[in-house]
Every structure is written in C-alpha cells, then in structure tokens.
Amino acid sequence: MSNPYLVKLEQLLQDIPQEEREEILQDYREHFRLAQAEGKTSEEIADSLGAPEALAADILADYRSRATLPEAPSATAKSYPRWRKMAIPAICALLFLALVWALVDIRAVPSSSSPSPAASPSPSPSLVDTVAQLNEALKAYAAGASPEAKKPGGTVTIQEERKATGEIRSVRIETVDTQVIIETAKDAKPQALLDGQIAVREGEDWTDYYEFGADSSGDTFRVFVKPTEAKKQQMPQGRSTTLRIRLPEAPMEDLEVATVSGSVKGPSLQVSYFSGTSVSGNIDLAGLKGKSHNLANVSGKISVGGLSGDFGVESVSGNVQITGASWESSGSVNTISGNVNLTADAKLPFAYELSSITGSVSCGYEGAATGKLKRQCSGTTGESKRSLTLTSISGPLHVGPVN
C-alpha cells in the first residue's frame, strides 16, 4: 500500500536526479518502518515530520546550498532529513531505561528481593528521560572539580575487605567511579577488596570521601562503593581506587555489575544470568557462559569473548565487540553510532538481520541478501529457530563466522 505522505514528497522532489531522489525517499521509508514497528501510526509519523511541502522546502534549500544545480526555487539535492536530528535522542529513549536504577542513584544497600531473570533478554523500553538524568548525575558528580576546590593535603592507602557469609548464589555490585576487577579461584568464597591510593586533606580519612559496604542476605552478596557528599563537593585529586571481587570458578546463578564511570574487567565467567551496565566505563570480559545476558553502555566499549547464552546488548556511541558467540534462542545488539562487530560459532545455524539508517552493513555469509543501499542484509546459516538482530542509526554493523 502506497504511503500518501511519501507519494506527495516524491512529487515535490522531481527536480532531484532519480538516483539521489530515491536514496532520500528510502531514508524516509525506513523512518516510517521503524516508527511503525514501535507502534506509531502513519498519521502520527507524518505529523512528527511536518507538512511534506515544508519538508521538501528544507531539502531543496539544503541541496541548493551544496549542489551544482542552478539557483532556482525548485533546485534540490540529497539532505539529511529533519527527523534524523531527532532520531538519536528518540531512539536513545528505547535503549536504556534499564540503566536508570543502577547508574543514577547508587544506593547503600539495595532491596533484599532478588530479581526474577527473564528466560531471554529483550530490548529495553524507553529512555529520553534517562539520558538527561545520566547527564545530570555526571554533572553533579563532577561539580567538585571546580577551581574553588582545595588541593589535597596528603595521600593514604585504602585497603578494606568485605566477605560474604553462607552459601552465595547471587552477587550485586554497585559503584560510581571505582574500577571493578572480577577474579575467580577454585572453591573461593565471594569477597570484595577495596584498595588503591587516594589523596585527602590533612587530618581526614579516606572514608570521608568513599563509603564501602557489603551485605550478605540469604544467598545474595551485595557490595557497594559510593562517594560521600564531601567527595561530591570537594573532589580530591589523585585518587585511584579498585574494587576487586573474588568469586568461585563454579557456575553462579546471577551476577549484576552497575557503574557510572568505572570500568569492569573480568576473566571467563560462568553465570546463568549476567547484567552489566555503565555510562562511560568499558566492560571487558574474556568470556561469558550461561543462559541469558544483558549489557548496556552509553559511551564506553563493550567487549566479550566466547559468549554463550541468549544476549541483549545496547549502546549509544560505544563500540561493541563480541567474539565466538553462540546462543539458544535470540541475540540482539542495538546502537546509535557505535561500531558493532560480532563473530559467531562457525557451526551455529541461525537467521540474521542487520539494518542501519546511515551506517554500512556487512554480512560475512554466502547468500546474504543485501539492500540496494547496503544498509540492510539478512540470511540464514542453516535451519534453526535461533535469531540474531543488529541495528544502528549511523554505526557500521558486521556479522560473520569466527576465522
């Protein structure tokens, strides 16, 4: 069924060479398709774009300023549609609602109730407000870096340890700017060690700037490191703190790590359900084996090797690298402008679909169907109910077998 809005827009852009006009229209067809997939009607989408005459006039004016066509009211060329200017914050809203609880307000001790992990990950709902809240949280946190802040008077060493008690199946880790390093050892009991160097004023203790705590409740071990109000306001320089989490090599039920600017690094982990969220810190795991995993980031890099289990990965501008992936049901990666490079087990049968609005798309499998503008490709590596979906606004996407 033809779209009246796009039909009218095409009529208004007749002075553009056919190939370039078709590329512009393809952008808007894709915009309608994505918006309708989110539940919007054609009328609502058309209203958000404005009258086709006004949109065409903008495109004509933009093209006239960049193209070699003669100056004329009808001269036009390819432009970046107005909806793209709104696309990034709008689609951000669909990616990261799941980040808010962990990244904006780090609490001393989370609720004692354990989450019920889903059988498989699904894309997060909405996040226009979340990005704004994250930005406000980071601004508030960095406010102490102002020139008025006094310089520290000395340096002290942090070394505090917290141990779990009882049989632990779940671990929750929450921090703001502390690097998190996960270590595993045979038959190890879960424990957390905060160590490093921090510069403070004379006569003050590092605990004036950081609060470090842990709570063993039932079979769950909760660890948190958060800045105190003094640290938020005065921002002592020279601090370097690391939270080391030691876990047993045996499989765990679930592990959650949430941070704002701290990085997360770990070995190959065996955990049924893993959740890792960050704003600007990197998430780097040598391997991840289990049933279902969710990772989300704003600007930091996400890198996972040897990933097995269903997964959902979301990023705004950070790159995503997944190596040797295998899964039982579904895998998905959604990004705004970050690069996505995913290699899958060469023997794994699955159906795949990649799509980007302006980014390049590459499928390293024979028989892949590629869209005319090379912004879409799809295919299958064999009969299976497994699915893989990669989407972006402007970031390049690639999928292929492990070399």
Side-chain angles (χ1 to χ4, degrees):
M1 182 181 296
S2 61
N3 185 315
Y5 187 98
L6 296 178
V7 171
K8 181 64 175 178
L9 184 62
E10 184 176 15
Q11 293 173 352
L12 296 168
L13 300 178
Q14 286 300 308
D15 289 331
I16 302 178
Q18 181 177 355
E19 183 177 349
E20 296 182 32
R21 182 173 69 250
E22 178 59 29
E23 189 171 350
I24 293 173
L25 292 169
Q26 181 61 31
D27 285 342
Y28 286 96
R29 293 189 191 103
E30 182 68 7
H31 175 58
F32 270 83
R33 186 185 72 81
L34 292 174
Q36 287 172 335
E38 297 167 10
K40 295 182 179 179
T41 65
S42 296
E43 291 76 13
E44 290 173 334
I45 303 167
D47 288 343
S48 69
L49 292 173
E53 292 83 359
L55 181 57
D58 286 347
I59 297 174
L60 293 172
D62 182 77
Y63 189 75
R64 190 162 55 243
S65 66
R66 303 188 322 177
T68 58
L69 293 178
E71 183 75 11
S74 60
T76 184
K78 178 183 176 182
S79 70
Y80 292 99
R82 290 186 302 172
W83 70 267
R84 281 193 198 164
K85 299 176 183 178
M86 303 180 288
I88 290 178
I91 298 182
C92 283
L94 302 176
L95 298 181
F96 294 97
L97 188 60
L99 281 163
V100 181
W101 69 272
L103 305 179
V104 178
D105 184 19
I106 302 296
R107 292 176 169 81
V109 179
S111 169
S112 60
S113 61
S114 298
S116 300
S120 62
S122 59
S124 304
S126 162
L127 177 144
V128 163
D129 293 334
T130 301
V131 169
Q133 291 181 54
L134 293 176
N135 287 336
E136 289 303 315
L138 289 173
K139 288 178 182 177
Y141 176 66
S146 62
E148 292 75 19
K150 298 179 181 178
K151 293 185 178 180
T155 301
V156 297
T157 299
I158 299 175
Q159 191 163 23
E160 294 285 336
E161 187 175 15
R162 306 286 188 268
K163 294 182 179 180
T165 59
E167 190 68 25
I168 300 299
R169 297 179 58 83
S170 301
V171 176
R172 311 277 188 270
I173 304 166
E174 296 179 357
T175 180
V176 174
D177 64 346
T178 304
Q179 180 180 205
V180 178
I181 297 180
I182 301 173
E183 302 170 342
T184 58
K186 186 177 181 181
D187 300 326
K189 294 294 183 182
Q191 57 183 300
L193 176 68
L194 184 69
D195 63 5
Q197 299 285 325
I198 181 170
V200 298
R201 291 170 176 78
E202 293 181 1
E204 293 179 323
D205 187 78
W206 73 267
T207 55
D208 293 326
Y209 298 99
Y210 281 103
E211 185 177 356
F212 174 39
D215 169 47
S216 295
S217 177
D219 62 358
T220 300
F221 183 43
R222 299 175 177 83
V223 180
F224 70 90
V225 180
K226 66 176 184 177
T228 62
E229 287 302 317
K231 182 175 189 301
K232 290 179 183 178
Q233 296 169 6
Q234 300 166 351
M235 197 73 171
Q237 302 298 310
R239 87 280 191 278
S240 173
T241 55
T242 299
L243 178 63
R244 296 183 181 274
I245 304 294
R246 176 166 289 192
L247 302 174
E249 292 179 347
M252 299 192 66
E253 183 63 24
D254 59 278
L255 170 62
E256 294 183 10
V257 184
T259 180
V260 176
S261 59
S263 61
V264 179
K265 188 172 184 179
S268 184
L269 301 174
Q270 296 187 58
V271 54
S272 296
Y273 303 96
F274 177 84
S275 173
T277 57
S278 178
V279 175
S280 58
N282 296 336
I283 299 176
D284 187 359
L285 301 176
L288 187 56
K289 299 179 180 180
K291 296 179 180 179
S292 179
H293 314 297
N294 288 279
L295 299 99
N297 210 324
V298 175
S299 60
K301 180 180 72 174
I302 295 177
S303 178
V304 182
L307 185 150
S308 68
D310 291 354
F311 60 91
V313 179
E314 299 170 348
S315 173
V316 174
S317 60
N319 295 339
V320 177
Q321 174 81 39
I322 298 177
T323 305
S326 62
W327 60 97
E328 291 300 320
S329 178
S330 65
S332 67
V333 181
N334 303 305
T335 181
I336 302 298
S337 59
N339 298 357
V340 177
N341 185 11
L342 185 147
T343 60
D345 184 331
K347 297 181 180 180
L348 189 73
F350 63 93
Y352 56 88
E353 182 174 358
L354 284 67
S355 63
S356 178
I357 293 181
T358 62
S360 62
V361 170
S362 170
C363 291
Y365 294 100
E366 293 184 4
T370 304
K372 183 168 62 174
L373 299 178
K374 296 185 178 179
R375 293 172 183 166
Q376 294 179 321
C377 69
S378 60
T380 178
T381 65
E383 291 296 327
S384 175
K385 293 183 179 180
R386 294 184 185 89
S387 65
L388 174 68
T389 304
L390 307 183
T391 61
S392 77
I393 299 299
S394 60
L397 309 173
H398 171 76
V399 64
V402 175
N403 294 329

